[in-house]
């Protein structure tokens, strides 16, 4: 398959503005004639549906929750980036672009990243106008803090609940359009298939999660904004309902999957405490602004943290990376924490944790100032662990958090299936092999508010659409396929629950396809994963029936898709014989233990094509061209 990224000609800083002018427009009176389906109601989905509705399109918004307010976007804590330079510390659009390209280890498209940096300032203005309560300084101006991979303060925040406040802004905009009648909202509907007619995306098949009915909906454009797939690892910081079903079913209908192995490990999570856990809890990266990361200098030191004197502590990030200190990018901080624990310097009962200490900041700034910045985060930590982070250091360890991979899209955010647009974390994104903190909210809202409305309009104005019928052959075939899958799952009546299979599968993924990867481990995973998937389809037990509320059936559908996606992640990780960002192949590292890229062989987007058989994908390559920032060995020293 020939991949056309459709990157506009011209200088980098003018590509988007020129492209906007050259795109075709839809007359306001004609917009109501076009129907657009938006699946997902997080930041990307809610902002896209609201924006398209306000333009006058006939928008149908689908959510598997009862309310968009339950989207996982609410879990984002630390902030959202924009180069406003309010701190007067040298920030600019180009610096944000440069930091993002470098932070992603030179595995992202320059044009997409620069556009994201360009629109990010507009996002802040939009959200302030919506009433989002960003933190402000003493004079009343919007406040900023720093995040990993940057030496400037460009992150706007609302204490430790930025995602929730931004989602409330997008939710209010969406509700306004629902009330105006431009958006029709479907709650408790889960997309289970994409319908392609004459080579174009023309609708979806859903399951009504209340009564179990399989239903078809037609459209001229389908937009997927359904988030990432970190739950393939079972334990992650994602909400339990977060899943990959929408993008995976679209992949099986012909949408290419880009860079599936690029998984982000977040360094600041509450460590695993036992087999009883079903998910992990994130502590915001913003805590590394004032918290200092350390371990005892002595291996196996069992003393309480407050009993270890200053001269017996190793502030290893400050020692190894003096320029960035505790604010190195996430992949770097995660690897260093793992190294410390692997070499016997870990703390806590499991010895698989490091300290994040606020003692210096409290002494310097006062407890009240720390509470103002991070209060709800520190309260959350105390509620979960029973330890007071104002009195003793927090214990943290890396965990699966975000996925940079996703459906391949061109510059217009359209997948390899015409008419299927993919926004936010669901696409292979603008983050390369590692996402900088506070950039997920930026991408989701940038895609939804300021990019997709232009590119979707251009697609609609440039194509003719013959009528399609929800009772037509393609839709009925898709419905029958979904029904058959549901009935097959319910008929197995095995002996193990969905969660038991998911936990077993996720452990293999974490052990061999997780933070550290090597050829032998990936090959072992590719033997174990199909075997678990085979047993799942023979021995899973799902109670209840299809025509009712059935959360076990919902989970089974999602886990079945994870069990196919997991193999693709491992295949992609095995083929990429280099280390870059969050993809760390242990065979490919520098003498200092940093990621070692192979630009001659792997400077491309790996876009995988479904061939009709799981485990046998076809690789397509989109070569990455660098005109402005030339790839080099990353250094944060």
């Amino acid at each position: 398959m020939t991949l056309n990224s459709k990157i506009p000609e011209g200088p980098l800083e003018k590509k988007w503005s020129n492209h906007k002018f050259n795109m075709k427009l839809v007359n306001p009176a004609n917009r109501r004639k076009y129907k657009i389906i938006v699946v997902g109601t997080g930041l990307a989905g809610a902002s896209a549906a609201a924006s398209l509705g306000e333009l006058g399109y006939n928008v149908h918004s689908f959510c598997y929750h009862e309310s968009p307010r339950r989207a996982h976007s609410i879990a984002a804590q630390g902030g959202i980036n924009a180069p406003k330079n309010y701190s007067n510390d040298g920030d600019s659009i180009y610096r944000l672009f440069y930091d993002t390209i470098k932070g992603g280890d030179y595995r992202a498209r320059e044009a997409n990243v620069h556009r994201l940096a360009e629109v990010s300032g507009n996002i802040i203005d939009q959200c302030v106008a919506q009433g989002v309560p960003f933190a402000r300084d003493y004079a009343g101006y919007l406040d900023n803090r720093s995040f990993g991979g940057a030496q400037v303060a460009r992150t706007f925040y609302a204490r430790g609940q930025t995602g929730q406040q931004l989602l409330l802004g997008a939710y209010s905009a969406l509700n306004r359009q629902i009330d105006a009648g431009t958006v029709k909202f479907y709650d408790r509907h889960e997309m289970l298939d994409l319908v392609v007619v004459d080579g174009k995306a023309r609708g979806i098949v859903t399951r009504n999660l209340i009564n179990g009915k399989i239903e078809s909906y037609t459209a001229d454009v389908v937009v997927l904004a359904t988030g990432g797939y970190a739950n393939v690892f079972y334990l992650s910081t994602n909400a339990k309902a977060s899943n990959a079903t929408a993008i995976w079913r679209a992949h099986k209908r012909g949408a290419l999957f880009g860079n599936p192995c690029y998984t982000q490990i977040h360094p600041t999570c509450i460590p695993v405490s036992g087999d009883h856990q079903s998910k992990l809890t994130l502590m915001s990266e913003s805590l590394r602004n004032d918290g200092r990361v350390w371990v005892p200098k002595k291996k196996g030191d069992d003393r309480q943290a407050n009993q270890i004197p200053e001269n017996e502590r190793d502030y290893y990030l400050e020692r190894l990376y003096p320029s960035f200190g505790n604010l190195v990018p996430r992949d770097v901080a995660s690897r260093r924490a793992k190294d410390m624990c692997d070499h016997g310097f870990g703390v806590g009962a499991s010895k698989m944790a490091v300290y994040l200490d606020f003692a210096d900041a409290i002494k310097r700034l006062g407890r009240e100032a720390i509470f103002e910045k991070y209060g709800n985060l520190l309260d959350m930590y105390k509620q979960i662990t029973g330890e007071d982070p104002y009195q003793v250091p927090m214990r943290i360890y890396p965990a699966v958090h975000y996925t940079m991979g996703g459906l391949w899209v061109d510059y217009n955010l359209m997948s390899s299936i015409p008419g299927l647009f993919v926004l936010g974390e669901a696409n292979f994104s603008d983050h390369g092999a590692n996402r900088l903190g506070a950039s997920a909210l930026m991408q989701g809202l940038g895609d939804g508010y300021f990019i997709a409305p232009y590119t979707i309009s251009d697609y609609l104005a440039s194509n003719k659409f013959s009528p399609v019928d929800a009772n037509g052959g393609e839709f009925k075939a898709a419905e029958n396929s979904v029904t058959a899958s549901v009935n097959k799952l319910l008929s197995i009546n095995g002996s193990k629950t969905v969660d038991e299979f998911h936990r077993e599968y996720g452990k293999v993924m974490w052990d061999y396809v997780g933070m550290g990867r090597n050829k032998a481990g990936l090959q072992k995973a590719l033997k174990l994963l199909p075997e678990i998937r085979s047993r799942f389809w023979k021995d899973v037990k799902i109670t209840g029936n299809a025509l009712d509320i059935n959360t076990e059936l919902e989970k089974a559908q999602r886990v079945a898709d994870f069990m196919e996606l997991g193999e693709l992640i491992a295949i992609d990780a095995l083929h990429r014989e280099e280390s870059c960002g969050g993809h760390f192949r242990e065979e490919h590292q520098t003498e200092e233990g940093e990621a070692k890229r192979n630009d001659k062989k792997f400077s491309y987007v790996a876009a995988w094509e479904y061939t009709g058989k799981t485990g046998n994908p076809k690789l397509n390559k989109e070569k990455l061209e660098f005109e402005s920032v030339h790839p080099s060995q990353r250094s944060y020293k």
Side-chain angles (χ1 to χ4, degrees):
M1 184 179 295
T2 302
L3 295 179
N4 182 2
S5 60
K6 298 181 181 177
I7 297 173
E9 298 292 330
L12 183 66
E13 66 276 8
K14 294 183 178 180
K15 287 182 186 294
W16 177 233
S17 57
N18 290 343
H19 189 54
K20 283 193 294 184
F21 180 76
N22 291 326
M23 284 190 286
K24 294 182 178 180
L25 302 175
V26 177
N27 184 301
N30 289 334
R31 292 174 192 162
R32 68 181 69 95
K33 301 175 183 178
Y34 292 107
K35 182 177 176 183
I36 301 172
I37 285 175
V38 180
V39 184
T41 52
L43 287 179
S47 61
S51 300
L52 292 164
E54 189 166 17
L55 283 171
Y57 290 108
N58 177 16
V59 180
H60 291 238
S61 170
F62 289 81
C63 175
Y64 61 62
H65 290 304
E66 72 281 0
S67 166
R69 291 181 61 179
R70 291 192 62 198
H72 185 61
S73 297
I74 67 163
Q77 299 165 342
I80 177 171
N81 288 329
K84 291 278 195 179
N85 198 32
Y86 288 166
S87 302
N88 197 31
D89 54 2
D91 203 7
S92 65
I93 289 173
Y94 188 85
R95 189 176 294 278
L96 173 55
F97 155 73
Y98 174 83
D99 287 345
T100 305
I101 287 287
K102 177 184 175 182
D105 218 350
Y106 305 95
R107 288 293 177 262
R109 284 194 201 125
E110 280 191 335
N112 286 58
V113 176
H114 197 279
R115 175 177 63 184
L116 182 59
E118 287 179 61
V119 304
S120 61
N122 297 336
I123 299 170
I124 304 303
D125 297 339
Q126 172 92 355
C127 294
V128 169
Q130 291 172 339
V132 173
F134 287 122
R136 294 179 181 267
D137 63 19
Y138 181 77
Y141 293 105
L142 295 181
D143 200 9
N144 290 118
R145 58 190 178 199
S146 299
F147 258 63
Q151 292 181 303
V152 296
R154 64 162 66 103
T155 304
F156 296 78
Y157 65 98
R159 194 174 282 185
Q161 52 184 244
T162 313
Q164 181 177 6
Q165 298 304 326
L166 292 172
L167 184 62
L168 289 173
Y171 171 65
S172 64
L174 176 60
N175 272 347
R176 181 169 174 268
Q177 297 308 314
I178 292 172
D179 183 66
T182 62
V183 177
K184 184 175 182 180
F185 178 65
Y186 299 81
D187 65 344
R188 304 294 285 146
H189 280 68
E190 181 163 26
M191 173 185 159
L192 294 180
D193 211 346
L194 175 76
V195 181
V196 179
V197 180
D198 296 330
K200 297 178 182 177
R202 296 304 304 271
I204 63 173
V205 174
T206 70
R207 180 174 180 267
N208 185 316
L209 300 182
I210 301 298
N211 58 29
K213 289 184 178 179
I214 306 300
E215 302 166 343
S216 289
Y217 297 88
T218 64
D220 300 304
V221 163
V222 175
V223 179
L224 300 185
T226 52
Y229 50 89
N231 275 346
V232 69
F233 292 86
Y234 186 70
L235 287 179
S236 83
T237 65
N238 284 200
K240 285 300 292 179
S242 297
N243 67 87
T245 288
I247 59 173
W248 188 250
R249 304 287 171 97
H251 172 61
K252 295 177 78 169
R253 291 292 183 185
L256 299 183
F257 208 112
N259 298 332
C261 79
Y262 286 169
T263 306
Q264 177 158 89
I265 312 296
H266 198 294
T268 318
C269 298
I270 298 178
V272 176
S273 59
D275 291 339
H276 63 281
Q277 283 185 272
S278 61
K279 75 176 300 295
L280 297 174
T281 303
L282 172 69
M283 289 286 102
S284 171
E285 180 174 309
S286 64
L287 295 172
R288 290 196 276 144
N289 269 275
D290 291 302
R292 300 179 71 192
V293 178
W294 64 275
V295 293
K297 289 183 178 179
K298 179 183 176 183
K299 288 185 179 182
D301 195 330
D302 290 325
R303 288 177 293 174
Q304 296 295 315
N306 291 347
Q307 297 174 345
I308 301 175
E310 189 74 13
N311 63 349
E312 296 181 32
R313 301 179 178 189
D314 180 10
Y315 295 92
Y316 59 89
L317 291 178
E318 298 172 30
R319 171 172 58 83
L320 294 169
Y321 309 100
S323 294
F324 283 74
N326 295 296
L327 287 173
V328 292
R330 291 175 177 177
D331 61 315
V332 176
S334 294
R335 282 198 296 277
R336 295 289 78 85
K338 182 178 185 296
D339 286 347
M340 290 296 159
C341 294
D342 288 349
H343 287 90
F345 297 99
V347 301
S350 68
K351 300 299 181 185
M352 296 301 288
V354 300
Y355 287 128
L356 179 60
D357 196 340
F358 280 85
D360 282 356
I362 292 172
K363 183 178 180 180
R364 185 178 73 255
L365 303 172
R367 176 174 173 143
E368 185 62 27
I370 298 302
F371 174 79
E372 285 296 322
K373 286 184 177 181
Y374 314 110
N376 64 308
L377 296 170
L378 302 186
D379 288 346
M380 187 192 310
Y381 181 87
K382 183 178 180 180
Q383 289 173 5
I384 292 172
T385 67
E387 299 175 356
D388 185 354
Y390 292 103
Q391 302 295 326
V392 297
M394 303 169 74
R395 287 175 290 108
I396 58 170
Y397 192 73
V400 177
H401 176 56
Y402 183 94
T403 49
M404 284 75 67
L407 293 187
W408 180 90
V409 291
D410 62 19
Y411 186 77
N412 293 324
L413 304 183
M414 189 165 72
S415 74
S416 53
I417 299 176
L420 177 66
F421 290 78
V422 191
L423 314 184
E425 192 179 356
N427 71 30
F428 86 107
S429 79
D430 302 334
H431 309 298
N434 174 66
R435 178 176 66 81
L436 293 184
S439 288
L441 307 185
M442 177 175 65
Q443 188 208 350
L445 292 178
D447 287 355
Y449 282 137
F450 298 111
I451 299 174
Y454 286 95
T455 60
I456 290 173
S457 295
D458 178 63
Y459 172 78
L460 291 170
S462 302
N463 288 273
K464 296 185 181 296
F465 301 90
S466 56
V468 292
D469 184 355
N471 293 312
E474 291 89 346
F475 284 87
K476 285 305 174 186
E479 285 184 15
N480 291 338
S481 176
V482 168
T483 301
S485 176
V486 168
N487 291 338
K488 182 176 180 180
L489 285 167
L490 289 170
S491 69
I492 296 170
N493 196 29
S495 62
K496 294 180 67 175
T497 66
V498 176
D499 283 336
E500 286 178 295
F501 275 110
H502 193 183
R503 186 187 295 273
E504 180 184 1
Y505 195 90
K507 188 175 188 310
V508 172
M509 288 293 297
W510 175 250
D511 287 347
Y512 303 111
V513 200
M515 189 167 15
R517 302 163 174 174
N518 57 62
K519 184 175 182 179
L522 291 167
Q523 289 174 334
K524 184 172 183 179
L526 286 169
K527 291 181 180 178
L528 294 173
L529 297 177
E531 188 272 330
I532 298 172
R533 178 165 54 88
S534 177
R535 283 193 284 111
F536 171 86
W537 283 101
K538 295 175 182 176
D539 197 31
V540 70
K541 184 175 182 63
I542 302 168
T543 54
N545 62 73
L547 299 178
D548 203 348
I549 296 174
N550 192 334
T551 55
E552 284 299 300
L553 177 59
E554 293 172 33
K555 285 194 294 185
Q557 296 260 24
R558 297 164 185 169
V559 170
D561 292 329
F562 280 142
M563 286 187 172
E564 295 180 349
L565 172 57
E567 288 180 49
L568 182 61
I569 295 172
I571 289 169
D572 188 37
L574 182 61
H575 112 275
R576 190 170 282 275
E577 289 277 0
E578 65 166 353
S579 289
C580 54
H583 168 63
F584 191 71
R585 284 287 296 270
E586 294 167 350
E587 308 96 321
H588 305 287
Q589 55 183 302
T590 66
E591 292 181 1
E592 295 81 17
E594 305 293 351
K596 187 176 182 180
R597 297 191 321 272
N598 185 337
D599 292 331
K600 289 184 178 180
K601 291 187 177 181
F602 295 101
S603 186
Y604 59 75
V605 178
W608 294 93
E609 183 179 346
Y610 183 71
T611 61
K613 182 181 179 182
T614 300
N616 187 36
K618 179 183 177 182
L619 176 61
N620 300 276
K621 300 177 183 180
E622 179 204 335
K623 186 179 180 182
L624 292 171
E625 303 284 353
F626 294 93
E627 299 176 7
S628 181
V629 179
H630 297 289
S632 61
Q633 176 65 42
R634 286 194 306 170
S635 174
Y636 293 95
K637 295 183 177 183

